Amino acid sequence: MLGNGVIGILSESTNKWERRVPLAPAHCARLLRGSEKTGVARIIVQPSTKRIHHDAQYEDVGCEISEDLSECGLILGIKQPKLEMILPDKTYAFFSHTHKAQKENMPLLDKILVERATLFDYELITGDNGKRLLAFGKFAGRAGIIDFLCGLGQRFLSLGYSTPFLSLGQSYMYSSLAAAKAAVISVGEEIATMGLPSRICPLVFVFTGAGNVSQGAREIFNLLPHTFVHPSKLPDLYEMARDPQGGKSSKRVFQVYGCVVTSQDIVVHNDPSKSFDKADYYAHPENYRPVFHEKIAPFASVIVNCMYWEQRFPRLLTTTQLQDLIKKGCPLVGLSDISCDVGGSLEFVQQTTSIDSPFIRYDPHDNSYHHDMDGSGIICSAVEILPTEFAREASQHFGDILSKFIGHLASSTSLDKLPSHLKRACIVHAGALTPLFEYIPRMRNSDIEVSSPTLRPLQPAKMKYTKMISLSGHLFDQFLINEALDIIEAAGGSFHLVKCHVGQSTSDTSYSELEIGADDKAVLDKIIDSLNSLDKPRDRKNNTISLTIGKFNDNDIDEENGTRGEAVVLILGAGRVCRPAAEFLTSIGRGSSKKLLNSYMTEDMKEKTYIHVIVASLFLKDAEEITEGLPNATAVQLDITNEEKLHHYISQVDVVISLLPPSCHSTIASACIQFRKHLVTASYVDDSMSKLDELAKGSGVTILCEMGLDPGIDHMMAMKMIDEAHVRGGKINSFTSYCGGLPSPDAANNTLAYKFSWSPVGAIRAGRNPAVYKFNGEIVHVDGDKLYDSASKIRIPYFPAFALECLPNRNSLIYGDLYGIGKEASVIFRGTLRYEGNVSFSFT
């Protein structure tokens, strides 16, 4: 039933805490409202009393509530449903965790095959760069660190210290991510003003990895007063912070410390003459020895583990290493294993925890585990489904991306008609494994038990002689994986799948890491030789392919970008609104004064920790006045008519913000498109900018216009109210939008009768534009030189304490089409609010 246009949304059944949804009501509303484009005719939602969005909210936007999903061609969920929920001949999409032949999920795969169903796995939907498009990684980091800070307050109290962390709740206790961040900011403000007991300081948080999970955790940590320290500087920090009075001081410490470590910080080459090489480490980890327990852990108060780990890599900390550290007086209080890698990189984390009971206390003295905060040892958190604690925001983020694919899945009648990134995410089609995943039964039929590296340590192949090999190339789309397995099985050997990553486009290679075994060393050598025979470029159907033995490249391991990423923003113009913009941007990642603003920004908006601002003006002095006293800000002189200089600066930055007059924007936008840089302006979109739309899209560049108060915020507020009215079956009879800065009446002492922060010259020029609006069904035109005449103004009757009037603002009629209310509204008016009766302005 693929392509019948009817979508079902499953009720989540695997975990009581799972409140996320694949599509929020707002996503459903847009899909149904645009059914001609999306192909979505109906959405049926299984009833649930625990999901983050109530059934009534789905009904309000036109969805149907029913347990029966038999009419649905496409059925969506988050986690694996119960087996009895799989219906015959349906198409399903959720996180199935089946493509690596994980034993615990094979009953689900069998059920899908038996029911002749189709299965798409979100985990396999990736972009052209091979990175996953649908994931909750940053939400795991955000929730995990908040939960840990909550537990940290309780742990310190049991140790005899009262700290601001004690007032923090777990992530799920807050109504939103913003509310949780506000609570963390409040804790940070208390630390900044009241301090922490010196005896527990320096309080050092060590973050392992620099990928999405780590970024999410550090996004929350950055809301506290903090300083990041390079791993090499940890001993110096610890030495400087030591109390010369032997720990008896009553001094307070007013910040915490962070340290980001990646592979190059936790291992060293066995050969002292060789330095760390990332590619070499991934290919030959046996050539490196761990040093985390020597160089990092002795100075860590908290370890926040966000790093992907595999059996072949050294552990971050073994049980013995931890026991030795505690005996030597290591300040470690606890760890948050957000990666939830049980029995993995942190050997002593041998069980997961839950949202209900997020902590266990591990006592290294007797290797015991406890479910309370009192007593010796360290506290450990390892919760599996952290993103659901921010179910609303996580669902919104997920649905924003998923809804882009729904049109194809809901309307396509053939797998071949789907885009490649979706087709290659299909594990089963109509009850049969797709060619890309025909290796799964061979893995299952092996005499080696395949286990998930995220659940338990891998077991070696049950043969006398074993060897790890890595296969890379077009393994699955050209069926080379089957040839490799044929060689192993024909020779009487065995194999154990350790790692498997399927390329997600025709240009991507795939890789698998296998442990192969044989009872005879000669047989194992023969297998290796035969596999090497595949390591030759060959031509099949005019596509050159190759298979490489012994090289390993893990695209899932966190990128190691260091501890301090920096984005660069170019602001063009040095007018009145430039200084606040520069202040805000340079404050991100610094101090506490701007953290409340930062708390409303998602980590997606600030992938890099700090922002460097370049302010460019025709007159250098103006730019220098803007940047005076601002950290990480530079002033430069720039005439945008100088194409060479303009191109030079734009090519060096990540984002351009133009605060210049609208007539300059098309020149700037063209340069941004050429160098693939994003552009933001506060100006209206004119014809010259509209003509660049397709060119910008083709270059992957975002040109975001009308991003101010008016225009900008007014659009968002208007569309929110209009959409809500339309969803409930209402219509808009009258649309009026007023903007203006009304001072106290006794301060309304200028001829325009309102006050503003932008250029007065710009306001006067805007006042000379003609206007047109719709009033009581009639179109009203106003010449620019008549704008201030009494006949052109609209009296505002809603404020009895003041006599107010509104000047029409340019062309209001275009918003009838843009807002979708042109045919239903008898009044469409946008204007500038001011006091009535002031002296009219005369242009000379």
Coordinates of all heavy atoms in Angstrom, one line a residue, residues 444-480:
R444 N 23.4 -13.9 10.3 CA 22.6 -14.7 11.3 C 22.9 -16.2 11.2 O 22.9 -16.8 12.3 CB 21.1 -14.4 11.0 CG 20.7 -13.0 11.2 CD 19.2 -12.8 10.9 NE 18.4 -13.5 11.8 CZ 17.0 -13.6 11.7 NH1 16.4 -13.0 10.7 NH2 16.3 -14.3 12.6
N445 N 23.2 -16.7 10.0 CA 23.4 -18.1 9.9 C 24.8 -18.5 10.3 O 25.2 -19.7 10.4 CB 23.2 -18.5 8.5 CG 21.8 -18.4 8.1 OD1 20.9 -18.5 8.9 ND2 21.5 -18.3 6.8
S446 N 25.7 -17.5 10.5 CA 27.0 -17.8 11.0 C 27.0 -18.4 12.4 O 26.1 -18.2 13.2 CB 27.8 -16.5 11.1 OG 29.0 -16.7 11.8
D447 N 28.0 -19.2 12.7 CA 28.0 -19.9 14.0 C 28.5 -18.9 15.1 O 28.6 -19.3 16.3 CB 28.9 -21.1 14.0 CG 30.3 -20.8 13.7 OD1 30.6 -19.7 13.1 OD2 31.2 -21.6 14.0
I448 N 28.8 -17.7 14.7 CA 29.2 -16.7 15.7 C 28.0 -15.8 16.1 O 27.3 -15.3 15.2 CB 30.3 -15.8 15.1 CG1 31.5 -16.6 14.6 CG2 30.7 -14.7 16.0 CD1 32.1 -17.4 15.7
E449 N 27.8 -15.7 17.4 CA 26.7 -14.9 17.8 C 27.0 -13.4 17.7 O 28.0 -12.9 18.2 CB 26.4 -15.2 19.3 CG 25.3 -14.3 19.9 CD 25.1 -14.7 21.4 OE1 24.6 -15.8 21.6 OE2 25.4 -13.8 22.2
V450 N 26.2 -12.7 16.9 CA 26.4 -11.3 16.6 C 25.8 -10.5 17.8 O 24.6 -10.7 18.1 CB 25.8 -10.8 15.3 CG1 26.0 -9.4 15.1 CG2 26.5 -11.6 14.2
S451 N 26.6 -9.6 18.4 CA 26.0 -8.8 19.5 C 26.2 -7.4 19.2 O 27.0 -7.0 18.3 CB 26.7 -9.2 20.8 OG 28.1 -8.9 20.7
S452 N 25.4 -6.6 19.8 CA 25.5 -5.1 19.6 C 26.6 -4.5 20.5 O 26.6 -4.7 21.7 CB 24.2 -4.5 19.9 OG 24.3 -3.1 20.0
P453 N 27.5 -3.8 19.9 CA 28.6 -3.1 20.7 C 28.0 -2.1 21.6 O 28.7 -1.7 22.6 CB 29.5 -2.5 19.6 CG 28.6 -2.3 18.4 CD 27.6 -3.4 18.4
T454 N 26.8 -1.7 21.5 CA 26.3 -0.7 22.4 C 25.6 -1.4 23.6 O 25.3 -0.7 24.6 CB 25.2 0.2 21.7 OG1 24.1 -0.7 21.3 CG2 25.8 0.9 20.5
L455 N 25.5 -2.7 23.6 CA 24.9 -3.4 24.7 C 25.8 -4.3 25.5 O 25.7 -4.4 26.7 CB 23.7 -4.3 24.2 CG 22.6 -3.5 23.5 CD1 21.6 -4.5 22.9 CD2 21.9 -2.6 24.4
R456 N 26.8 -4.9 24.9 CA 27.7 -5.7 25.6 C 29.0 -5.9 24.9 O 29.1 -5.6 23.7 CB 27.1 -7.1 25.8 CG 26.9 -7.9 24.5 CD 26.2 -9.2 24.8 NE 24.8 -9.0 25.2 CZ 23.9 -9.0 24.2 NH1 24.1 -9.1 23.0 NH2 22.6 -8.8 24.6
P457 N 30.1 -6.2 25.6 CA 31.4 -6.4 24.8 C 31.3 -7.5 23.8 O 30.6 -8.5 24.0 CB 32.4 -6.8 26.0 CG 31.7 -6.4 27.2 CD 30.2 -6.5 27.0
L458 N 32.0 -7.4 22.7 CA 32.0 -8.4 21.7 C 32.8 -9.6 22.1 O 33.8 -9.5 22.8 CB 32.6 -7.8 20.4 CG 31.7 -6.7 19.7 CD1 32.5 -6.1 18.6 CD2 30.4 -7.3 19.2
Q459 N 32.3 -10.7 21.7 CA 33.1 -12.0 22.0 C 33.9 -12.4 20.8 O 33.6 -12.2 19.7 CB 32.1 -13.1 22.3 CG 31.1 -12.8 23.5 CD 31.9 -12.6 24.8 OE1 32.8 -13.3 25.1 NE2 31.5 -11.5 25.5
P460 N 35.1 -13.0 21.1 CA 35.9 -13.4 20.0 C 35.3 -14.5 19.2 O 34.5 -15.3 19.7 CB 37.2 -13.8 20.7 CG 36.8 -14.2 22.0 CD 35.7 -13.3 22.4
A461 N 35.8 -14.7 17.9 CA 35.3 -15.8 17.1 C 35.7 -17.1 17.8 O 36.8 -17.2 18.4 CB 36.0 -15.7 15.8
K462 N 34.8 -18.1 17.7 CA 35.1 -19.4 18.5 C 36.0 -20.3 17.6 O 35.6 -21.4 17.3 CB 33.7 -20.0 18.8 CG 32.9 -19.2 19.7 CD 31.5 -19.8 19.9 CE 30.6 -18.9 20.8 NZ 29.3 -19.5 20.9
M463 N 37.1 -19.8 17.3 CA 38.1 -20.6 16.5 C 39.5 -20.4 17.2 O 39.7 -19.4 17.9 CB 38.2 -20.1 15.1 CG 36.9 -20.4 14.3 SD 36.8 -22.1 13.8 CE 35.3 -22.1 12.8
K464 N 40.4 -21.3 16.9 CA 41.7 -21.2 17.6 C 42.5 -20.0 17.1 O 43.2 -19.4 18.0 CB 42.4 -22.5 17.3 CG 43.8 -22.6 18.0 CD 44.4 -24.0 17.7 CE 45.7 -24.1 18.5 NZ 46.4 -25.4 18.3
Y465 N 42.4 -19.7 15.8 CA 43.2 -18.6 15.3 C 42.2 -17.5 14.8 O 41.2 -17.9 14.0 CB 44.1 -19.0 14.2 CG 45.1 -20.1 14.6 CD1 44.9 -21.4 14.4 CD2 46.3 -19.7 15.2 CE1 45.8 -22.4 14.8 CE2 47.2 -20.6 15.6 CZ 47.0 -22.0 15.4 OH 47.9 -22.9 15.8
T466 N 42.4 -16.3 15.2 CA 41.5 -15.2 14.7 C 42.3 -14.0 14.2 O 43.5 -13.8 14.6 CB 40.6 -14.8 15.9 OG1 41.4 -14.2 16.9 CG2 39.7 -15.9 16.4
K467 N 41.7 -13.2 13.4 CA 42.3 -12.0 13.0 C 41.2 -11.0 12.6 O 40.2 -11.3 12.0 CB 43.2 -12.2 11.7 CG 44.0 -11.0 11.3 CD 45.1 -11.4 10.3 CE 45.9 -10.1 9.9 NZ 47.0 -10.5 9.0
M468 N 41.5 -9.7 13.0 CA 40.6 -8.7 12.6 C 40.9 -8.1 11.2 O 42.1 -7.9 10.9 CB 40.7 -7.5 13.6 CG 40.3 -7.9 15.0 SD 38.5 -8.2 15.2 CE 37.9 -6.6 15.1
I469 N 39.9 -8.0 10.4 CA 40.1 -7.4 9.0 C 39.1 -6.3 8.8 O 38.0 -6.3 9.4 CB 40.0 -8.4 7.9 CG1 38.6 -9.0 7.8 CG2 41.0 -9.5 8.1 CD1 38.3 -9.8 6.5
S470 N 39.4 -5.4 8.0 CA 38.5 -4.3 7.6 C 38.3 -4.3 6.1 O 39.3 -4.3 5.4 CB 39.0 -3.0 8.1 OG 39.1 -3.0 9.5
L471 N 37.1 -4.3 5.6 CA 36.8 -4.3 4.2 C 36.1 -3.0 3.9 O 35.2 -2.6 4.6 CB 35.8 -5.4 3.9 CG 36.2 -6.8 4.4 CD1 35.1 -7.8 4.0 CD2 37.5 -7.3 3.8
S472 N 36.6 -2.3 2.9 CA 36.0 -1.0 2.5 C 35.9 -0.9 1.0 O 36.7 -1.5 0.3 CB 36.9 0.2 3.0 OG 38.1 0.2 2.4
G473 N 34.9 -0.3 0.5 CA 34.7 -0.2 -0.9 C 33.2 -0.2 -1.2 O 32.4 0.0 -0.3
H474 N 32.8 -0.6 -2.4 CA 31.4 -0.7 -2.7 C 30.9 -2.1 -2.4 O 30.6 -2.9 -3.2 CB 31.1 -0.4 -4.2 CG 31.3 1.1 -4.5 ND1 30.4 2.0 -4.3 CD2 32.4 1.8 -4.9 CE1 30.8 3.2 -4.6 NE2 32.1 3.1 -5.0
L475 N 30.8 -2.4 -1.1 CA 30.6 -3.8 -0.6 C 29.2 -4.3 -0.9 O 29.0 -5.4 -1.2 CB 30.9 -3.8 0.9 CG 32.3 -3.3 1.4 CD1 32.3 -3.4 2.9 CD2 33.4 -4.1 0.7
F476 N 28.2 -3.4 -0.7 CA 26.9 -3.9 -0.7 C 26.2 -3.6 -2.1 O 25.4 -4.4 -2.6 CB 26.1 -3.2 0.4 CG 26.7 -3.5 1.8 CD1 27.6 -2.7 2.4 CD2 26.4 -4.8 2.4 CE1 28.1 -3.0 3.6 CE2 27.0 -5.1 3.6 CZ 27.9 -4.2 4.2
D477 N 26.4 -2.4 -2.6 CA 25.7 -2.1 -3.9 C 26.3 -2.9 -5.0 O 25.6 -3.1 -6.0 CB 25.8 -0.6 -4.2 CG 27.2 0.0 -4.1 OD1 28.0 -0.6 -3.4 OD2 27.4 1.0 -4.8
Q478 N 27.5 -3.4 -4.9 CA 28.1 -4.3 -5.9 C 28.3 -5.7 -5.4 O 29.0 -6.5 -6.0 CB 29.5 -3.7 -6.3 CG 29.5 -2.3 -7.0 CD 28.8 -2.3 -8.3 OE1 28.6 -3.4 -8.9 NE2 28.4 -1.1 -8.8
F479 N 27.7 -6.0 -4.2 CA 27.6 -7.4 -3.7 C 29.0 -8.0 -3.4 O 29.2 -9.2 -3.3 CB 26.9 -8.3 -4.7 CG 25.5 -7.8 -5.1 CD1 25.3 -7.3 -6.3 CD2 24.5 -7.7 -4.2 CE1 24.1 -6.7 -6.7 CE2 23.3 -7.2 -4.5 CZ 23.1 -6.7 -5.8
L480 N 30.0 -7.1 -3.2 CA 31.3 -7.7 -2.8 C 31.3 -8.3 -1.4 O 32.1 -9.2 -1.1 CB 32.4 -6.5 -2.8 CG 32.9 -6.1 -4.2 CD1 33.8 -4.9 -4.1 CD2 33.6 -7.3 -4.9

